[in-house]
């Protein structure tokens, strides 16, 4: 089986990491790829830890568990510390420098520090879109899904709230266009 990506999205409950994973999985479906989405969160939800794992492949997937993650979105320091040791040597790591002090991780060249929360707040105009900024930043550096598929998947992810789709498109594009 050729796996395109094993992606972990992690942060505090309430930061939208489960939605970020759902969006990535839906975008893979939009590209006719096989995908799994596996959420994990603490009992306290908002403020506790949360993460989701998405596996994308062109063949059937045997397990939703990422054994060799190729990509990580870390929206906070505890998430980066937890998942960093599990990441492959050539993995892509998007870390929120708005909430993570970068100096402790400077030696790890896999990490792309991006001021995700700041971009969401100041450029997009809504801090709640930080997860979408992170998704945009990640997909720029991985094989699948594509930007077009993520934009299309927003229609499905927000079908019950169509008014927020343009804001989330803006957030994904802001992350995608951010130069590291």
């Amino acid at each position: 089986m050729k796996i395109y990506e094993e992606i972990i999205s992690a942060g505090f409950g309430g930061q939208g990491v489960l939605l970020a994973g759902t969006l990535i999985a839906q975008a893979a479906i939009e590209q006719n790829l096989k995908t799994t989405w596996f959420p994990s969160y603490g009992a306290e939800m908002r403020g506790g830890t949360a993460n989701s794992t998405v596996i994308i492949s062109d063949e059937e997937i045997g397990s939703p568990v990422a054994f060799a993650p190729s990509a990580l979105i870390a929206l906070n320091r505890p998430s980066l510390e937890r998942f960093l040791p599990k990441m492959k040597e050539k993995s892509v790591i998007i870390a929120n420098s708005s909430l993570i002090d970068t100096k402790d991780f400077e030696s790890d060249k896999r990490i792309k520090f991006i001021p995700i929360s700041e971009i969401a707040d100041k450029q997009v105009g809504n801090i709640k879109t930080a997860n979408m900024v992170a998704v945009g930043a990640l997909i720029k550096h991985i094989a699948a899904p594509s930007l077009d598929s993520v934009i299309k998947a927003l229609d499905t992810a927000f079908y019950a709230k169509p008014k927020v789709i343009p804001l989330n498109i803006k957030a994904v594009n802001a992350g995608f266009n951010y130069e590291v």
Side-chain angles (χ1 to χ4, degrees):
M1 175 193 322
K2 180 183 176 192
I3 294 177
Y4 286 111
E5 301 293 346
E6 292 184 353
I7 303 163
I8 297 173
S9 175
F12 293 127
Q15 284 186 299
V17 295
L18 300 183
L19 177 58
T22 301
L23 181 66
I24 293 167
Q26 181 62 41
I29 292 168
E30 298 289 342
Q31 284 185 234
N32 294 315
L33 296 168
K34 309 270 192 281
T35 188
T36 63
W37 174 76
F38 188 70
S40 176
Y41 46 86
E44 59 275 342
M45 293 289 283
R46 186 169 298 279
T49 59
N51 68 80
S52 67
T53 302
V54 176
I55 299 177
I56 300 170
S57 178
D58 58 355
E59 298 180 11
E60 286 200 30
I61 300 166
S63 170
V65 178
F67 295 104
S70 57
L72 169 66
I73 293 172
L75 292 181
N76 60 22
R77 184 183 179 107
S79 297
L80 182 59
E81 290 173 339
R82 177 177 176 195
F83 291 105
L84 190 59
K86 299 177 182 184
M87 303 308 295
K88 291 190 321 188
E89 185 178 318
K90 294 188 179 199
S91 60
V92 175
I93 301 167
I94 303 296
N96 186 2
S97 62
S98 299
L99 299 178
I100 302 169
D101 187 357
T102 62
K103 63 184 169 209
D104 293 336
F105 303 96
E106 288 174 344
S107 64
D108 195 326
K109 301 302 179 201
R110 299 173 297 177
I111 303 173
K112 298 180 184 325
F113 284 105
I114 299 171
I116 294 167
S117 298
E118 184 179 321
I119 292 169
D121 188 31
K122 293 189 172 43
Q123 277 186 258
V124 181
N126 189 326
I127 190 69
K128 292 180 181 180
T129 64
N131 59 339
M132 297 296 118
V133 172
V135 168
L138 177 68
I139 61 170
K140 183 177 185 174
H141 301 283
I142 60 175
S146 69
L147 177 61
D148 289 340
S149 295
V150 170
I151 299 298
K152 189 174 179 187
L154 285 167
D155 288 334
T156 302
F158 292 106
Y159 72 92
K161 300 178 183 179
K163 290 182 179 180
V164 303
I165 293 172
L167 182 67
N168 284 281
I169 290 171
K170 183 178 179 181
V172 169
N173 282 320
F176 189 86
N177 293 321
Y178 182 81
E179 292 297 325
V180 180

